[in-house]
Amino acid sequence: MSISLLLMTAWGADLVLFGDGVPPVAVLARISAATKKDAGEFELMSLREWASQLEPQYAGGELRACQGAPVHRAWFEERLQEASDSVRFFDSDRAMGALTEIEDALPCADETLSRDLVGRAFFLKGMVEYTVGAEADAAQSYADARSMDRLMRFDTSMSPDSRDAFEDATPDSTAVWIEIRPKPDRVWLDGEQVTYGDQGFQVARGRHHVTVESSATTSADIRVEEGGALLLPRMIGDRLVAEIDQPRRRAAFLQMIAYAGQERAYLSDIEHVWIAEKNKNSVKELGVEEAPEKEPGRRGRYTPAGLAVAGGGLVVGGVGTALFAACDRCTAGGLGLIGVGSAAALTGAGIVIADQVSVSPTFGPRGVGVQLSVPLR
């Protein structure tokens, strides 16, 4: 973590982040006005600078993160072709130089690299290492190649001397779960898109190239030993400012705030100011009143039963009324049914009223009263 972030935490200043092209002075004035705090109480930093200073982490093995500028797919393809030509012409030094450049740049890929590309690079590296006598290194490179490309077969058009070493480098098939934070939109594992579910995604132990697409495209070169969380702070990207209203982007911002050790941070594009608070697990826009939560109505647990009793009573009373009117010898029976039906209808109505009406005491300067309230649905 950067010195500025450490000092910020020590001084207790609130972090203020802004997107590209936004004047920092204007942002600070906007934040100060919105919060009624002095400008000296804030630490100002661009979102891109802040995210770039948070180191990626993976606790389940080794992780190599990008240490330079983004690299396009075309560059990798050119270097791989250079390495292939050099191997065919027995130029080991030139081949190894190109393959080392590819390996170093893998975490900086800003596009998806195919399984054939990444696997082929380590296959050629293993072949060159075997040729120069570094058999242990060759075994590891072959293992990495077969971990990244499980369908790889030995290329017999190249020197066949190291075929046995290649065949012995059997990849580990044990699968573990990896969760990526912030939660990504799409994930590619060794050039193939994978399904990302509630637990993350499954990957076999070994070396892998992971490409993640969300607000930004981010890559990581990992050697998986155990499952765990892969933290990629740069993935939040500069688009976060424009997309902060999306639930996934809000969650990503909160996760990175917590990862950076911040209790509170502000995000602004001058027109709007959002505040993220870790302990409240919320991101909200300052100056905008959130719609009040609608008070839930009463559950009405006994209302259906009350309505059924009332309805049955009305039916019984209706039958009694019909008998009383049409049958001279049924007067007593009709009156009885009318009485039973009326009692049932009143009972059902009482159940409904008791279930739906809230009765609460009121206290005022003129004494104590009773308040009746009925929820409007």
Side-chain angles (χ1 to χ4, degrees), residues 6-283:
L6 290 173
L7 290 176
M8 174 191 59
T9 302
W11 292 339
D14 287 337
L15 178 64
V16 176
L17 302 172
F18 55 91
D20 289 346
V22 177
V25 176
V27 170
L28 191 57
R30 178 74 174 85
I31 295 284
S32 181
T35 60
K36 311 298 183 187
K37 292 183 178 181
D38 185 77
E41 298 182 45
F42 301 101
E43 179 77 9
L44 198 63
M45 189 176 296
S46 73
L47 181 62
R48 186 184 301 275
E49 178 188 5
W50 176 72
S52 68
Q53 294 178 1
L54 298 177
E55 294 295 331
Q57 288 186 7
Y58 178 58
E62 299 177 17
L63 166 69
R64 289 197 315 120
C66 181
Q67 300 298 325
V71 181
H72 301 310
R73 184 190 302 117
W75 181 91
F76 287 97
E77 293 171 346
E78 292 173 1
R79 288 295 181 277
L80 184 63
Q81 186 61 52
E82 178 185 345
S84 298
D85 294 341
S86 299
V87 170
R88 292 182 187 279
F89 288 102
F90 305 102
D91 190 343
S92 298
D93 291 340
R94 185 180 179 188
M96 185 57 71
L99 293 169
T100 300
E101 287 182 344
I102 291 175
E103 183 175 11
D104 291 343
L106 280 177
C108 297
D110 62 356
E111 298 178 272
T112 305
L113 303 180
S114 69
R115 180 187 65 203
D116 294 338
L117 192 157
V118 292
R120 181 72 172 178
F122 284 96
F123 171 80
L124 294 177
K125 186 170 181 281
M127 181 167 287
V128 172
E129 289 167 338
Y130 191 89
T131 301
V132 299
E135 296 183 8
D137 293 337
Q140 184 61 67
S141 293
Y142 278 151
D144 292 344
R146 299 191 68 183
S147 178
M148 292 180 171
D149 186 355
R150 302 267 163 167
L151 302 178
M152 178 176 285
R153 297 291 182 267
F154 190 84
D155 186 355
T156 55
S157 67
M158 299 288 189
S159 173
D161 295 345
S162 60
R163 183 165 188 166
D164 289 342
F166 174 85
E167 298 296 343
D168 290 341
T170 305
D172 191 337
S173 61
T174 306
V176 297
W177 287 94
I178 294 180
E179 178 189 1
I180 296 179
R181 299 176 185 172
K183 188 175 182 179
D185 289 337
R186 286 169 291 278
V187 178
W188 283 265
L189 177 67
D190 302 322
E192 301 290 332
Q193 187 169 358
V194 297
T195 300
Y196 193 93
D198 294 337
Q199 293 179 273
F201 67 101
Q202 275 193 308
V203 56
R205 289 177 178 170
R207 190 166 187 172
H208 296 282
H209 179 67
V210 179
T211 306
V212 179
E213 185 176 307
S214 194
S215 290
T217 300
T218 303
S219 295
D221 182 18
I222 59 176
R223 187 178 300 280
V224 178
E225 298 171 0
E226 300 176 1
L230 175 61
L231 299 174
L232 298 175
R234 296 185 187 185
M235 198 178 72
I236 64 174
D238 192 60
R239 284 167 48 197
L240 174 69
V241 181
E243 300 174 350
I244 192 64
D245 287 331
Q246 298 181 16
R248 179 172 289 184
R249 300 292 182 257
R250 291 189 176 209
F253 190 38
L254 279 170
Q255 287 179 351
M256 290 304 100
I257 289 296
Y259 173 47
Q262 286 293 134
E263 294 294 329
R264 181 186 302 106
Y266 297 89
L267 183 65
S268 176
D269 61 359
I270 297 183
E271 294 184 9
H272 307 278
V273 177
W274 295 272
I275 178 173
E277 296 179 283
K278 185 182 71 171
N279 60 342
K280 294 182 180 180
N281 195 35
S282 69
V283 179

